[in-house]
């Protein structure tokens, strides 16, 4: 009987460093060792690492066709993609809500796993929300989003000045095309009750200010969205009704304020009310 051959041990993709307590990818072992032995060691390593289920890394921009998932453009805008090994280490499931921090800006996004993306980076499409907020070389962090998400009743939308904002005059900003584009952009996003959202309209880069009101009475969401208030000058709208949608970025030190989503997903008989806060 021939001797049993031992199968080679598979090196784990993410390795726990007993000295620093951080998880680093096996491909960054040399970089991590250099960081540990450096006399001018910074508090955090420059390479991707995970600590307390929080991934710290850079972003990778890809085209939708390179992803193993086929998702609508609207979903791609507020989504990011990570490898299955990162999802395991951070305790994340498919289509989970995550909190992504870029400098002082916090975004609540949906994460999907894909075997075709980088094993150490956060991947997003070029025209996504995250891509408009962070540079590929910029450090960002991602962790599970644990809070309450409430459904908005009304949202007030104001165009705030930006370099190209003069190209969108008042007549255009009050047109049906503009209103439809704004509604499409906001649908399904999770935002704070008062925040700003990057917005592109026929190649013109704008910033929308969103002011959300949950409202006490029950209202039909489609009717509320039809009443979107669009203005190019915040100061010229003294009677603004602050009952509007909240769907942009989150500003929680993890569990501080309630986040709001714009359009409900149809479920059996319960209105949408899931977990997420900022």
């Amino acid at each position: 009987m021939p001797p049993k051959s031992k199968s080679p041990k598979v090196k784990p993709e993410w390795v726990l460093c007993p000295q620093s307590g951080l998880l680093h990818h096996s491909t960054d072992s040399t970089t991590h060792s250099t960081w540990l032995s450096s006399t001018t060691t910074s508090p955090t390593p420059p390479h991707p690492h995970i600590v307390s289920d929080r991934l710290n890394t850079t972003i990778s921009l890809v085209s939708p066709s390179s992803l193993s998932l086929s998702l609508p453009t609207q979903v791609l805008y507020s989504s990011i993609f990570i490898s299955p090994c990162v999802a395991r280490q951070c305790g994340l499931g498919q289509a989970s809500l995550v909190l992504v921090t870029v400098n002082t800006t916090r975004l609540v996004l949906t994460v999907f796993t894909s075997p075709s993306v980088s094993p150490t980076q956060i991947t997003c499409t070029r025209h996504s929300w995250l891509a408009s907020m962070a540079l590929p070389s910029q450090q960002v962090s991602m962790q599970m989003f644990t809070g309450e998400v409430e459904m908005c009743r009304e949202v007030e939308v104001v165009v705030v000045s930006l370099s190209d904002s003069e190209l969108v005059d008042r007549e255009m900003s009050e047109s049906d095309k503009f209103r439809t584009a704004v509604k499409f952009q906001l649908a399904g996003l999770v935002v704070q009750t008062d925040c700003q959202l990057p917005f592109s309209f026929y190649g013109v880069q704008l910033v929308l200010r969103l002011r959300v009101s949950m409202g006490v009475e029950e209202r039909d969401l489609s009717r509320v969205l039809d009443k979107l208030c669009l203005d190019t000058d915040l100061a010229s709208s003294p009677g603004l009704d602050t009952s509007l949608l909240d769907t942009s970025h989150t500003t929680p030190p993890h569990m501080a304020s309630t986040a709001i989503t714009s359009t409900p997903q149809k479920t059996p008989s319960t209105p949408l009310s899931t977990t997420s806060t900022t």
Side-chain angles (χ1 to χ4, degrees):
M1 197 172 171
K4 293 182 179 179
S5 58
K6 292 184 178 180
S7 57
K9 289 186 177 180
V10 179
K11 192 174 183 179
E13 291 180 311
W14 286 86
V15 183
L16 176 62
C17 171
Q19 185 174 342
S20 64
L22 304 177
L23 283 165
H24 63 85
H25 197 266
S26 55
T27 57
D28 290 319
S29 295
T30 302
T31 307
H32 190 74
S33 298
T34 302
W35 172 72
L36 288 174
S37 59
S38 174
T39 55
T40 58
T41 301
S42 59
T44 57
H47 55 79
H49 60 279
I50 299 173
V51 56
S52 301
D53 297 334
R54 180 187 180 114
L55 172 66
N56 297 277
T57 184
T58 54
I59 67 171
S60 171
L61 303 179
V62 299
S63 62
S65 59
S66 65
L67 299 169
S68 59
L69 298 171
S70 179
L71 298 171
T73 304
Q74 194 174 7
V75 176
L76 287 173
Y77 177 75
S78 58
S79 298
I80 58 173
F81 304 86
I82 57 175
S83 67
C85 61
V86 170
R88 284 195 300 272
Q89 294 296 340
C90 295
L92 298 171
Q94 192 75 306
S96 298
L97 285 180
V98 290
L99 179 65
V100 178
T101 305
V102 184
N103 293 328
T104 59
T105 301
R106 291 182 169 93
L107 308 176
V108 177
L109 305 173
T110 304
V111 65
F112 294 92
T113 60
S114 172
S116 63
V117 301
S118 167
T120 60
Q121 291 181 294
I122 295 173
T123 299
C124 60
T125 56
R126 299 182 186 279
H127 301 291
S128 64
W129 193 0
L130 179 58
S132 68
M133 305 297 292
L135 299 173
S137 59
Q138 192 172 0
Q139 278 264 336
V140 302
S141 68
M142 178 204 71
Q143 63 192 105
M144 183 183 294
F145 184 61
T146 60
E148 294 181 356
V149 174
E150 297 181 343
M151 194 61 58
C152 79
R153 298 305 177 200
E154 294 181 0
V155 61
E156 174 183 67
V157 180
V158 178
V159 179
V160 298
S161 63
L162 196 62
S163 57
D164 294 334
S165 62
E166 63 274 9
L167 300 179
V168 178
D169 56 26
R170 180 177 295 275
E171 183 178 351
M172 181 178 289
S173 68
E174 293 177 351
S175 68
D176 289 341
K177 277 188 177 181
F178 189 82
R179 293 162 65 92
T180 300
V182 170
K183 291 180 193 178
F184 182 82
Q185 185 84 335
L186 298 183
L189 297 186
V190 179
V191 297
Q192 290 179 287
T193 54
D194 193 335
C195 56
Q196 293 187 349
L197 176 73
F199 178 64
S200 177
F201 185 64
Y202 286 98
V204 179
Q205 301 303 315
L206 305 170
V207 171
L208 303 179
R209 181 179 180 183
L210 309 178
R211 299 176 68 182
V212 178
S213 173
M214 300 306 295
V216 179
E217 67 278 24
E218 289 295 324
R219 298 186 185 178
D220 183 283
L221 187 61
S222 62
R223 279 178 46 220
V224 172
L225 289 177
D226 284 339
K227 292 173 56 182
L228 274 174
C229 172
L230 300 171
D231 200 333
T232 55
D233 185 358
L234 181 60
S236 67
S237 336
L240 292 178
D241 182 356
T242 58
S243 53
L244 293 149
L245 161 72
D246 181 335
T247 60
S248 153
H249 54 147
T250 67
T251 133
H254 212 43
M255 284 184 290
S257 60
T258 302
I260 294 133
T261 188
S262 66
T263 42
Q265 310 299 320
K266 291 192 177 178
T267 54
S269 46
T270 52
L272 178 61
S273 174
T274 41
T275 60
S276 336
T277 84
T278 339

